[in-house]
Amino acid sequence: MAKPPRLAVRAVVLHENRLLLVNAWKASDRLLCAPGGGVEPHSSLHDNLHREIMEECGLTIAIGPTCLVNEFHDPAHDYHQVDVYFRCTITGGDPYGDWTDPEGIVTTRRWFTRAQMADLTIKPDSLAAVAWGDTDAPDYDPLEPILR
């Protein structure tokens, strides 16, 4: 029997025309993504996102509108995740200061210009277009294959 999809929330944070990205896998910066993580039951999407951004980045945020729903999947490993992305702004914390994720998952927290992102492996593929508000940016990105 297939496992149900995992639900996660992510923050699209632009600051000084740079996008906040974190490593997607523990102790590896081979793949970068927007900060966020899995939703805990009986907690709102916003409450989960506030918690994840504090844990991963040491920042407090104001959460704006949803800007993307993205699905990752890996049928060979029975994995399917639905990420809900929100536009966010920083309301507290040091965006450039040192931070240690208490769970030890996020080890890279950096700000990137759009030009710098072109040379990186970032998921989802549409993240830059969504972050900078391109007119052709999707608001729904179905079943993107996961990188392993």
Side-chain angles (χ1 to χ4, degrees):
M1 185 166 148
K3 292 187 289 190
R6 177 179 189 257
L7 181 61
V9 288
R10 302 213 172 266
V12 175
V13 183
L14 276 174
H15 180 72
E16 299 175 351
N17 206 33
R18 293 175 184 269
L19 182 64
L20 178 60
L21 297 175
V22 299
N23 57 290
W25 297 313
K26 188 174 183 174
S28 172
D29 60 2
R30 187 171 65 94
L31 175 66
L32 299 172
C33 63
V39 169
E40 294 180 354
H42 312 291
S43 184
S44 73
L45 297 180
H46 282 196
D47 287 346
N48 277 282
L49 189 55
H50 282 291
R51 174 185 49 77
E52 286 288 343
I53 300 308
M54 177 52 71
E55 287 174 4
E56 293 184 357
C57 302
L59 301 172
T60 55
I61 54 171
I63 300 174
T66 304
C67 57
L68 176 66
V69 174
N70 178 260
E71 293 184 79
F72 291 101
H73 76 126
D74 182 352
H77 292 95
D78 193 24
Y79 185 80
H80 183 175
Q81 179 167 309
V82 178
D83 287 346
V84 180
Y85 289 75
F86 294 89
R87 292 198 183 281
C88 299
T89 55
I90 299 169
T91 59
D94 182 352
Y96 300 108
D98 289 334
W99 181 255
T100 302
D101 176 357
E103 294 185 359
I105 295 170
V106 171
T107 54
T108 300
R109 175 192 83 156
R110 292 190 39 216
W111 298 91
F112 293 92
T113 65
R114 187 162 189 179
Q116 291 169 322
M117 289 177 66
D119 297 327
L120 303 170
T121 304
I122 296 169
K123 288 295 180 179
D125 294 339
S126 61
L127 185 56
V130 169
W132 273 273
D134 292 3
T135 56
D136 61 346
D139 55 9
Y140 172 62
D141 193 359
L143 293 178
E144 187 172 330
I146 197 165
L147 293 178
R148 293 242 181 234

